[in-house]
């Protein structure tokens, strides 16, 4: 199947809903065991695909079309799935490392063979432009391969925990959720994962079917997080919980785990800020900021807040507003261009129209209370099909002087909406950059290295970039958070393996816990 090709003007030929039918047919032919006789996706429970559950419509953010149905389980079935997976964990713990490596490697070979199909599924499911979807799949494959090649010293003197439960958000089903589960299995654990309700069902179904065929102890279920939490979070068979999601749900989960002897890694939201202080390299900063809009800033490491020294505001806006104007928002399956040319679109839809409505509500509230709208991007008809549903799309927006009593001031928008804050002193800079009292990343744009390092030392962010953006990272790079942006073990590199294995009695794991905090040196 060829993607769109061509140069401007963009042709009006896209992979329309009939093309989704073709992708779905290919998927069903590859893993027929994962579908019932009516073509609906099943759950993977006790090593078998079954339990169709309650069918919930599953829509594409690309154009609002129906992709299929989520097979939503009840609590009793999820509890059965957990108990069965725990039995598998006992058996898998006795499998030697060489065998585990062989089976994980075989799964990676299947993922690599069907790389393009996985990328196209991701595009339809979560709206990520195809080139970015390919990167997500490749990050999963190459990242797990790195662990296969380097895991022996990480496991020295350690044993598996047992059954790991994985609940992750919809934005990175491959490079976060699938990546984590394969590493957890490689370390000797069995896993049970919940399909994100908003996106990733089909790409995860294909990936987990491949994993199961390779003899890996994986289970995949769908259902309401609230209804299944007794099984996927609190069930005594669960030895460890890996959670990626919003702060509200994360806080509830954290409070339920504090009194239980259970390992956990809870990645939650925070307001990541970029500070601009005594700075002059505007061309370099423009490149950083434009790249930061990839996937419409639907990332836990996106920067929605810019804190700018008052005297630099004119130069900052002179650089920043053209960046916003240059962004192309449209159908994520638009034709690709040669590498030397700009992409057809910089980002596609947000995850659904409800998210767009939520952001409009936050922006309206801010404006009504005095925020100054600096920019509101428009959707260009040439980047969409005629008559296409565009309710899930939102152009880049920016606001100056957002009042403190607004949601946009304190909350992570998780979309292409920026806030600009003007400050006069370093103390104000610290305060405004630490608005959420804990974040995953932050950055400083500053010409003076000593000043930049001093400012960085005052920021409550796990990773701080100096004239550079920070990200979750891959392979050996550690990842975590400060304050309420993270609870539990840090991950990445050796720490991901340590988080899901048992070492010497009484060991203190690297992480952010209620009773103590151990933070790695910022890099």
């Amino acid at each position: 199947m060829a993607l769109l090709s061509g140069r401007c003007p963009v042709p009006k030929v896209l992979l329309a809903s009939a093309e989704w039918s073709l992708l779905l047919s290919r998927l069903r032919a590859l893993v027929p065991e994962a579908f019932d006789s009516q073509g609906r996706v099943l759950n993977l429970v006790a090593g078998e695909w079954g339990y169709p559950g309650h069918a919930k419509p599953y829509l594409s953010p690309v154009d609002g079309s129906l992709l299929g149905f989520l097979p939503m389980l009840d609590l009793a079935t999820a509890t059965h799935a957990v108990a069965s997976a725990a039995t598998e964990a006992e058996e898998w713990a006795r499998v030697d490392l060489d065998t585990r490596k062989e089976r994980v490697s075989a799964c990676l070979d299947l993922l690599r063979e069907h790389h393009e199909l996985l990328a196209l599924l991701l595009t339809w499911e979560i709206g990520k432009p195809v080139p970015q979807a390919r990167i997500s799949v490749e990050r999963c494959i190459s990242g797990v391969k790195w662990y296969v090649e380097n895991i022996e010293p990480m496991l020295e003197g350690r044993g598996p925990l047992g059954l790991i439960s994985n609940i992750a958000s919809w934005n990175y089903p491959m490079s976060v959720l699938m990546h984590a589960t394969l590493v957890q299995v490689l370390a000797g654990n069995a896993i049970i994962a919940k399909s994100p309700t908003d996106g990733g069902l089909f790409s995860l179904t294909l990936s987990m079917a491949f994993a199961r065929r390779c003899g890996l102890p994986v289970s995949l279920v769908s259902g309401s997080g609230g209804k299944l939490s007794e099984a996927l979070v609190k069930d005594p068979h669960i030895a460890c919980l890996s959670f990626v999601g919003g702060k509200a749900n994360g806080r509830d989960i954290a409070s339920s785990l504090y009194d239980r002897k259970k390992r956990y890694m809870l990645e939650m939201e925070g307001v990541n800020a970029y500070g601009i202080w005594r700075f002059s390299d505007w061309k370099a900063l423009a490149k950083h900021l434009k790249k930061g809009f990839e996937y419409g800033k639907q990332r836990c490491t996106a920067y929605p807040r810019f804190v700018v020294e008052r005297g630099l505001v004119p130069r900052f806006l002179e650089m920043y507003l053209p960046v916003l104007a240059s962004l192309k928002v449209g159908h994520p399956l638009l034709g690709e261009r040669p590498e030397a040319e700009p992409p057809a679109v910089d980002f596609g839809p947000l995850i659904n129209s409800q998210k767009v409505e939520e952001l409009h509500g936050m922006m309206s509230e801010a404006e009504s209370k005095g925020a100054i709208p600096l920019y509101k991007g428009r959707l260009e008809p040439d980047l969409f099909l005629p008559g296409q549903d565009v309710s899930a799309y939102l152009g880049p927006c920016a606001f100056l002087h957002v009042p403190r009593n607004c949601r946009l001031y304190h909350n992570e928008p998780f979309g292409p909406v920026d806030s600009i804050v003007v400050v006069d002193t370093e103390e104000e800079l610290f305060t405004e950059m630490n608005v959420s009292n804990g974040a995953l990343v932050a950055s400083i744009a500053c010409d003076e290295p000593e000043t930049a390092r001093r400012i960085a030392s005052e920021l409550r962010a796990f990773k701080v970039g100096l004239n550079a953006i920070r990200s979750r990272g891959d392979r050996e790079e550690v990842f975590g958070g400060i304050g309420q942006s993270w609870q539990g073990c840090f991950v990445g590199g050796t720490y991901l393996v340590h988080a899901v294995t048992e070492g010497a009695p009484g060991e203190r794991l690297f992480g952010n816990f209620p009773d103590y905090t151990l933070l790695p040196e910022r890099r």
Side-chain angles (χ1 to χ4, degrees):
M1 180 186 304
L3 291 176
L4 289 174
S5 61
R7 301 171 184 268
C8 284
V10 175
K12 290 296 187 181
V13 181
L14 297 175
L15 292 177
S17 57
E19 298 292 348
W20 168 254
S21 298
L22 180 56
L23 290 177
L24 189 57
S25 296
R26 292 173 58 189
L27 172 58
R28 291 176 58 188
L30 279 172
V31 289
E33 67 272 23
F35 295 83
D36 68 10
S37 59
Q38 300 176 27
R40 295 186 304 179
V41 176
L42 298 170
N43 290 284
L44 177 55
V45 175
E48 301 290 338
W49 292 92
Y51 301 96
H54 169 70
K56 179 179 179 179
Y58 182 63
L59 307 179
S60 173
V62 172
D63 58 6
S65 59
L66 180 68
L67 299 181
F69 296 90
L70 284 152
M72 307 289 279
L73 290 183
D74 58 22
L75 176 58
T77 309
T79 301
H80 165 63
V82 168
S84 301
T87 299
E88 279 198 301
E90 296 175 3
E91 300 167 354
W92 183 248
R94 295 189 288 270
V95 175
D96 63 85
L97 179 58
D98 285 342
T99 301
R100 300 199 305 260
K101 290 169 66 174
E102 288 174 4
R103 295 188 187 181
V104 171
S105 295
C107 180
L108 294 180
D109 289 342
L110 288 172
L111 295 177
R112 188 176 293 106
E113 180 182 352
H114 299 284
H115 183 287
E116 187 71 3
L117 175 58
L118 283 163
L120 292 174
L121 291 174
L122 279 181
T123 295
W124 279 103
E125 291 191 86
I126 63 175
K128 183 173 288 191
V130 177
Q132 296 172 32
R134 290 193 185 111
I135 291 172
S136 288
V137 177
E138 178 53 36
R139 283 181 61 192
C140 172
I141 296 170
S142 62
V144 177
K145 183 175 183 290
W146 180 85
Y147 278 96
V148 171
E149 296 169 348
N150 295 280
I151 198 169
E152 282 92 341
M154 303 180 197
L155 287 174
E156 188 173 347
R158 308 186 68 83
L161 285 179
L163 176 61
I164 315 298
S165 177
N166 290 267
I167 302 173
S169 57
W170 44 264
N171 53 343
Y172 287 98
M174 292 300 298
S175 57
V176 173
L177 196 155
M178 194 65 199
H179 174 279
T181 61
L182 289 177
V183 175
Q184 292 161 9
V185 167
L186 181 64
N189 303 285
I191 72 97
I192 185 166
K194 189 179 89 68
S195 297
T197 305
D198 289 319
L201 171 67
F202 290 99
S203 51
L204 286 172
T205 294
L206 179 59
S207 300
M208 292 291 188
F210 286 158
R212 197 75 216 186
R213 285 185 182 180
C214 294
L216 299 178
V218 299
S219 301
L220 181 66
V221 298
S222 292
S224 161
K227 290 183 179 179
L228 302 190
S229 63
E230 282 292 330
L232 299 180
V233 176
K234 302 175 185 178
D235 192 289
H237 289 106
I238 301 292
C240 177
L241 171 67
S242 176
F243 170 86
V244 180
K247 190 179 292 185
N249 290 336
R251 278 197 299 262
D252 292 342
I253 289 173
S255 63
S256 72
L257 295 177
Y258 287 161
D259 296 329
R260 301 169 188 263
K261 294 183 178 179
K262 187 172 295 190
R263 197 79 58 85
Y264 55 90
M265 301 87 78
L266 312 179
E267 177 186 331
M268 297 172 284
E269 65 190 81
V271 179
N272 307 316
Y274 210 128
I276 295 91
W277 187 264
R278 299 181 185 176
F279 181 72
S280 63
D281 192 357
W282 303 106
K283 185 176 181 180
L285 184 58
K287 293 179 180 179
H288 295 166
L289 301 196
K290 183 163 186 175
K291 183 172 178 58
F293 273 93
E294 283 187 356
Y295 197 30
K297 294 202 173 184
Q298 296 178 106
R299 306 186 314 280
C300 63
T301 54
Y303 292 79
R305 186 177 182 84
F306 296 91
V307 184
V308 187
E309 182 180 2
R310 186 177 300 276
L312 297 179
V313 170
R315 293 299 308 274
F316 174 79
L317 294 179
E318 182 181 338
M319 171 277 302
Y320 173 72
L321 294 177
V323 168
L324 300 190
S326 72
L327 293 167
K328 301 172 185 175
V329 183
H331 198 301
L333 284 160
L334 285 175
E336 297 174 77
R337 307 296 176 80
E339 191 170 326
E341 293 188 16
V345 295
D346 293 288
F347 61 92
L350 303 190
I351 191 58
N352 51 47
S353 59
Q354 290 78 17
K355 182 62 184 180
V356 174
E357 291 174 3
E358 174 193 327
L359 290 178
H360 277 304
M362 293 174 70
M363 291 187 288
S364 295
E365 178 195 38
E367 279 193 71
S368 69
K369 294 181 178 180
I372 302 171
L374 292 176
Y375 189 88
K376 291 185 178 181
R378 294 186 295 271
L379 301 181
E380 299 296 335
D382 286 347
L383 297 178
F384 299 92
L385 284 176
Q388 179 189 330
D389 182 347
V390 296
S391 60
Y393 293 79
L394 178 68
C397 299
F399 291 83
L400 180 68
H401 295 316
V402 175
R404 291 175 180 268
N405 61 344
C406 295
R407 287 174 294 164
L408 192 58
Y409 184 90
H410 295 283
N411 295 350
E412 178 186 21
F414 218 68
V417 180
D418 287 349
S419 298
I420 315 299
V421 183
V422 180
V423 295
D424 294 296
T425 67
E426 286 189 16
E427 288 72 19
E428 290 177 333
L429 182 74
F430 306 151
T431 299
E432 295 294 347
M433 291 189 69
N434 290 331
V435 67
S436 62
N437 195 31
L440 302 174
V441 296
S443 285
I444 292 293
C446 182
D447 293 342
E448 303 170 2
E450 287 189 15
T451 301
R453 285 191 290 270
R454 183 177 68 252
I455 293 171
S457 69
E458 298 289 339
L459 301 181
R460 287 185 53 76
F462 183 80
K463 292 182 179 181
V464 179
L466 305 181
N467 296 314
I469 56 176
R470 298 308 306 267
S471 67
R472 202 175 199 276
D474 293 298
R475 304 180 182 185
E476 69 272 10
E477 191 169 355
V478 181
F479 189 59
I482 291 180
Q484 293 302 307
S485 68
W486 192 283
Q487 292 293 316
C489 306
F490 295 148
V491 298
T494 300
Y495 297 110
L496 175 53
V497 174
H498 284 189
V500 296
T501 54
E502 200 76 68
E507 71 170 341
R508 304 195 90 190
L509 293 164
F510 220 9
N512 187 358
F513 300 95
D515 56 338
Y516 70 98
T517 301
L518 292 176
L519 298 176
E521 182 180 352
R522 293 183 176 130
R523 296 187 289 176

